Structures are given as structure tokens and as C-alpha cells.
Coordinates of all heavy atoms in Angstrom, one line a residue:
S1 N 63.8 159.4 267.6 CA 64.2 160.4 268.6 C 63.7 161.8 268.3 O 63.6 162.6 269.2 CB 65.8 160.4 268.6 OG 66.3 161.0 267.5
G2 N 63.5 162.1 267.0 CA 63.1 163.4 266.6 C 64.3 164.4 266.5 O 64.1 165.6 266.3
S3 N 65.5 163.8 266.5 CA 66.7 164.7 266.4 C 66.8 165.3 265.0 O 66.5 164.6 264.0 CB 67.9 163.9 266.7 OG 69.1 164.6 266.4
A4 N 67.2 166.5 264.9 CA 67.4 167.2 263.6 C 68.8 167.1 263.1 O 69.1 167.6 262.0 CB 67.0 168.7 263.7
S5 N 69.6 166.3 263.8 CA 71.0 166.2 263.4 C 71.2 165.2 262.2 O 70.4 164.2 262.1 CB 71.9 165.6 264.5 OG 71.8 166.5 265.6
P6 N 72.1 165.4 261.3 CA 72.4 164.4 260.2 C 72.8 163.1 260.9 O 73.3 163.0 262.0 CB 73.6 165.0 259.5 CG 73.6 166.5 259.8 CD 73.0 166.6 261.2
R7 N 72.6 162.0 260.1 CA 72.8 160.7 260.6 C 74.3 160.5 261.2 O 74.5 159.9 262.2 CB 72.6 159.6 259.6 CG 72.6 158.2 260.2 CD 72.5 157.1 259.1 NE 71.3 157.3 258.3 CZ 71.0 156.5 257.3 NH1 71.8 155.5 257.0 NH2 69.9 156.7 256.5
R8 N 75.3 161.0 260.5 CA 76.6 160.8 260.9 C 76.9 161.6 262.3 O 77.6 161.0 263.2 CB 77.6 161.3 259.9 CG 77.5 162.8 259.5 CD 78.5 163.2 258.5 NE 78.4 164.6 258.2 CZ 78.9 165.6 258.9 NH1 79.5 165.3 260.0 NH2 78.7 166.9 258.6
V9 N 76.3 162.7 262.4 CA 76.4 163.5 263.7 C 75.6 162.7 264.8 O 76.1 162.6 265.9 CB 75.9 164.9 263.5 CG1 75.9 165.6 264.9 CG2 76.7 165.7 262.5
F10 N 74.4 162.2 264.5 CA 73.6 161.5 265.4 C 74.4 160.2 265.9 O 74.4 159.9 267.1 CB 72.3 161.1 264.8 CG 71.4 160.3 265.7 CD1 70.7 160.9 266.7 CD2 71.3 159.0 265.5 CE1 69.8 160.2 267.5 CE2 70.4 158.2 266.3 CZ 69.7 158.8 267.3
R11 N 75.0 159.5 264.9 CA 75.7 158.3 265.3 C 76.9 158.6 266.2 O 77.1 157.9 267.2 CB 76.3 157.7 264.0 CG 77.0 156.3 264.3 CD 77.6 155.7 263.0 NE 76.6 155.3 262.1 CZ 76.3 156.0 260.9 NH1 77.0 157.1 260.6 NH2 75.4 155.5 260.1
K12 N 77.6 159.8 266.0 CA 78.6 160.2 266.9 C 78.1 160.5 268.3 O 78.7 160.1 269.3 CB 79.3 161.4 266.4 CG 80.4 162.1 267.3 CD 81.5 161.1 267.5 CE 82.7 161.9 268.2 NZ 82.4 162.5 269.5
M13 N 77.0 161.1 268.4 CA 76.4 161.4 269.7 C 76.0 160.1 270.5 O 76.2 160.0 271.7 CB 75.2 162.3 269.6 CG 75.5 163.7 269.1 SD 74.2 164.9 269.2 CE 73.1 164.3 267.9
I14 N 75.5 159.1 269.7 CA 75.1 157.8 270.3 C 76.4 157.1 270.8 O 76.4 156.5 271.9 CB 74.4 157.0 269.3 CG1 73.0 157.6 269.0 CG2 74.2 155.5 269.8 CD1 72.1 157.6 270.2
R15 N 77.5 157.2 270.0 CA 78.7 156.6 270.4 C 79.3 157.2 271.7 O 79.9 156.6 272.5 CB 79.7 156.6 269.3 CG 79.4 155.6 268.2 CD 80.4 155.8 267.0 NE 80.1 154.8 266.0 CZ 80.7 154.8 264.8 NH1 81.5 155.8 264.4 NH2 80.4 153.8 263.9
D16 N 79.1 158.5 271.8 CA 79.5 159.2 273.0 C 78.7 158.7 274.2 O 79.3 158.6 275.3 CB 79.3 160.7 272.8 CG 80.3 161.4 271.9 OD1 81.4 160.7 271.6 OD2 80.1 162.5 271.4
M17 N 77.4 158.5 274.0 CA 76.6 158.0 275.1 C 77.0 156.6 275.5 O 77.1 156.2 276.7 CB 75.1 158.0 274.7 CG 74.5 159.4 274.5 SD 72.8 159.3 274.0 CE 72.0 158.4 275.4
I18 N 77.4 155.8 274.5 CA 77.9 154.4 274.8 C 79.2 154.5 275.6 O 79.4 153.7 276.5 CB 78.1 153.6 273.5 CG1 76.8 153.4 272.8 CG2 78.9 152.3 273.7 CD1 76.9 152.8 271.4
E19 N 80.1 155.4 275.2 CA 81.3 155.5 275.9 C 81.2 156.0 277.4 O 81.8 155.5 278.3 CB 82.3 156.5 275.2 CG 83.6 156.6 275.8 CD 84.6 157.5 275.0 OE1 84.1 158.0 274.0 OE2 85.7 157.6 275.4
S20 N 80.3 157.0 277.6 CA 80.1 157.5 278.9 C 79.3 156.5 279.8 O 79.5 156.4 281.0 CB 79.4 158.8 278.9 OG 78.1 158.7 278.3
D21 N 78.4 155.8 279.2 CA 77.7 154.7 279.8 C 77.0 155.1 281.1 O 77.1 154.5 282.2 CB 78.6 153.5 280.1 CG 77.9 152.2 280.5 OD1 76.7 152.1 280.1 OD2 78.4 151.4 281.3
H22 N 76.3 156.2 281.1 CA 75.6 156.7 282.3 C 74.1 156.8 282.1 O 73.4 157.3 283.0 CB 76.1 158.1 282.6 CG 75.8 159.2 281.6 ND1 76.7 159.5 280.6 CD2 74.7 159.9 281.4 CE1 76.2 160.4 279.8 NE2 75.0 160.7 280.3
L23 N 73.5 156.1 281.1 CA 72.1 156.1 280.9 C 71.4 155.3 282.0 O 71.8 154.2 282.3 CB 71.7 155.5 279.6 CG 70.3 155.8 279.0 CD1 70.2 157.2 278.6 CD2 70.0 154.9 277.8
P24 N 70.5 155.9 282.8 CA 69.8 155.1 283.9 C 69.2 153.8 283.3 O 68.6 153.8 282.3 CB 68.8 156.1 284.4 CG 69.2 157.4 284.0 CD 69.9 157.2 282.7
D25 N 69.3 152.8 284.1 CA 68.6 151.5 283.9 C 69.1 150.7 282.7 O 69.0 149.4 282.7 CB 67.1 151.7 283.6 CG 66.4 152.3 284.8 OD1 66.9 152.2 286.0 OD2 65.3 152.9 284.6
Y26 N 69.7 151.3 281.7 CA 70.0 150.6 280.4 C 71.5 150.8 280.0 O 72.0 151.9 280.2 CB 69.1 151.0 279.3 CG 67.7 150.8 279.6 CD1 66.8 151.8 280.1 CD2 67.1 149.5 279.5 CE1 65.5 151.6 280.4 CE2 65.8 149.2 279.8 CZ 65.0 150.3 280.3 OH 63.7 150.1 280.6
R27 N 72.0 149.8 279.4 CA 73.4 149.8 278.8 C 73.2 149.8 277.3 O 72.4 149.0 276.8 CB 74.3 148.7 279.3 CG 75.7 148.7 278.7 CD 76.6 147.7 279.4 NE 77.0 148.2 280.7 CZ 76.5 147.7 281.9 NH1 75.6 146.7 281.9 NH2 76.9 148.2 283.1
M28 N 74.0 150.6 276.6 CA 74.0 150.6 275.1 C 75.2 150.0 274.6 O 76.3 150.2 275.1 CB 73.8 152.1 274.7 CG 72.6 152.8 275.2 SD 72.7 154.6 274.9 CE 72.8 154.6 273.1
V29 N 75.1 149.3 273.5 CA 76.2 148.6 272.8 C 76.0 148.8 271.3 O 74.9 148.6 270.8 CB 76.3 147.1 273.1 CG1 77.4 146.5 272.3 CG2 76.6 147.0 274.6
E30 N 77.0 149.2 270.6 CA 76.9 149.2 269.1 C 77.3 147.9 268.5 O 78.3 147.3 268.9 CB 77.9 150.3 268.6 CG 77.7 150.5 267.1 CD 78.6 151.7 266.5 OE1 79.4 152.2 267.3 OE2 78.4 152.0 265.3
E31 N 76.5 147.4 267.5 CA 76.8 146.1 266.9 C 76.9 146.3 265.4 O 76.6 147.3 264.8 CB 75.6 145.2 267.2 CG 75.4 144.8 268.7 CD 74.4 143.8 269.0 OE1 73.5 143.7 268.2 OE2 74.5 143.1 270.0
E32 N 77.4 145.2 264.8 CA 77.5 145.2 263.3 C 76.2 145.5 262.6 O 75.2 145.1 263.1 CB 78.1 143.9 262.8 CG 79.5 143.5 263.4 CD 80.6 144.4 262.8 OE1 80.3 145.1 261.8 OE2 81.7 144.5 263.4
G33 N 76.3 146.1 261.5 CA 75.0 146.4 260.7 C 74.4 147.7 261.1 O 73.2 147.9 260.9
D34 N 75.2 148.6 261.8 CA 74.7 149.9 262.2 C 73.5 149.7 263.1 O 72.5 150.4 263.0 CB 74.3 150.7 261.0 CG 74.5 152.2 261.2 OD1 75.3 152.6 262.1 OD2 73.8 153.0 260.5
L35 N 73.6 148.8 264.1 CA 72.6 148.5 265.1 C 73.0 149.0 266.5 O 74.2 149.0 266.8 CB 72.3 147.0 265.1 CG 71.7 146.4 263.9 CD1 71.5 144.9 264.0 CD2 70.3 147.1 263.5
I36 N 72.1 149.3 267.3 CA 72.3 149.7 268.7 C 71.5 148.7 269.5 O 70.3 148.5 269.3 CB 71.9 151.1 269.0 CG1 72.6 152.1 268.1 CG2 72.2 151.4 270.5 CD1 74.1 152.1 268.3
R37 N 72.2 148.1 270.5 CA 71.5 147.1 271.4 C 71.4 147.7 272.8 O 72.4 148.2 273.3 CB 72.2 145.8 271.4 CG 71.6 144.8 272.4 CD 72.2 143.4 272.2 NE 73.6 143.3 272.3 CZ 74.3 143.1 273.4 NH1 73.6 142.8 274.5 NH2 75.6 143.0 273.4
F38 N 70.2 147.7 273.3 CA 69.9 148.2 274.7 C 69.7 147.0 275.6 O 68.9 146.1 275.2 CB 68.7 149.1 274.7 CG 68.9 150.4 274.0 CD1 68.7 150.5 272.7 CD2 69.2 151.5 274.7 CE1 68.8 151.7 272.0 CE2 69.4 152.8 274.1 CZ 69.2 152.8 272.7
T39 N 70.3 146.9 276.7 CA 70.1 145.8 277.7 C 69.9 146.5 279.1 O 70.4 147.6 279.4 CB 71.3 144.9 277.8 OG1 72.5 145.6 278.1 CG2 71.4 144.1 276.5
R40 N 69.1 145.8 279.9 CA 68.8 146.3 281.2 C 69.9 146.1 282.2 O 70.5 145.0 282.2 CB 67.5 145.7 281.8 CG 66.3 146.1 281.0 CD 65.0 145.5 281.7 NE 65.0 144.1 281.6 CZ 64.2 143.3 282.4 NH1 63.4 143.8 283.2 NH2 64.2 142.0 282.2
R41 N 70.2 147.1 283.0 CA 71.3 147.0 284.0 C 70.8 146.1 285.1 O 71.5 145.3 285.7 CB 71.7 148.3 284.5 CG 72.3 149.3 283.5 CD 72.8 150.6 284.2 NE 73.2 151.5 283.2 CZ 74.4 151.6 282.6 NH1 75.3 150.6 282.9 NH2 74.7 152.5 281.7
A42 N 69.5 146.3 285.5 CA 68.9 145.6 286.6 C 67.4 145.6 286.4 O 66.9 146.2 285.4 CB 69.3 146.2 288.0
Q43 N 66.7 145.1 287.3 CA 65.2 145.0 287.1 C 64.7 146.5 287.2 O 64.9 147.2 288.1 CB 64.6 144.2 288.3 CG 63.1 144.1 288.2 CD 62.7 143.2 286.9 OE1 63.4 142.3 286.5 NE2 61.6 143.6 286.3
V44 N 63.9 146.8 286.2 CA 63.2 148.1 286.1 C 61.9 148.0 286.8 O 61.2 147.0 286.6 CB 63.0 148.6 284.7 CG1 62.3 149.9 284.6 CG2 64.4 148.7 284.0
I45 N 61.6 149.0 287.7 CA 60.3 149.0 288.3 C 59.2 149.1 287.3 O 59.1 149.9 286.5 CB 60.2 150.2 289.3 CG1 61.3 150.2 290.3 CG2 58.8 150.2 290.0 CD1 61.3 151.4 291.2
D46 N 58.3 148.1 287.4 CA 57.1 148.1 286.4 C 55.9 148.2 287.2 O 55.9 148.3 288.4 CB 57.1 146.9 285.6 CG 56.7 147.2 284.1 OD1 55.8 148.0 284.0 OD2 57.2 146.5 283.2
E47 N 54.8 148.3 286.5 CA 53.5 148.6 287.2 C 53.1 147.6 288.2 O 53.0 147.9 289.3 CB 52.4 148.8 286.1 CG 52.8 149.8 285.0 CD 53.3 151.1 285.6 OE1 52.7 151.7 286.5 OE2 54.4 151.5 285.2
G48 N 52.9 146.3 287.8 CA 52.5 145.3 288.7 C 51.2 145.7 289.4 O 50.6 146.7 289.2

């Protein structure tokens, strides 16, 4: 990401994004092992 925030602050910002759940196209979920999982909400327009 290039964020200059400490990891604990960055993790809190990511959790806030997960809670608000307004990222276009993708849903974020926090998983065990300090992992973040991204899944598509619907089909994303690709080049084709």
C-alpha cells in the first residue's frame, strides 16, 4: 500500500474498511493468521 502508518494503526484502518464495507467491486474479510481476504461482489468489467 505504501502506507507510512505503523502496522497496528494500519490494521485498525483495514478493520474500519471491513466494517463500512463500501469498497467498489470487492468485499473484505479478516481471517485467522492476520490475513485479509478479498472477494468479488459481482463480475468486474475486464478487457475482453
Side-chain angles (χ1 to χ4, degrees):
S1 72
S3 172
S5 300
R7 189 188 304 181
R8 60 178 180 80
V9 176
F10 179 79
R11 184 184 292 109
K12 173 62 167 60
M13 291 190 290
I14 293 298
R15 286 174 175 171
D16 289 343
M17 291 178 63
I18 292 173
E19 183 177 359
S20 64
D21 193 29
H22 63 264
L23 198 69
D25 298 336
Y26 302 98
R27 178 171 287 109
M28 301 167 60
V29 176
E30 186 176 8
E31 297 186 333
E32 297 291 343
D34 211 22
L35 296 175
I36 304 297
R37 176 165 58 92
F38 292 83
T39 55
R40 292 186 293 167
R41 298 185 188 277
Q43 184 66 34
V44 178
I45 300 172
D46 216 325
E47 305 313 306

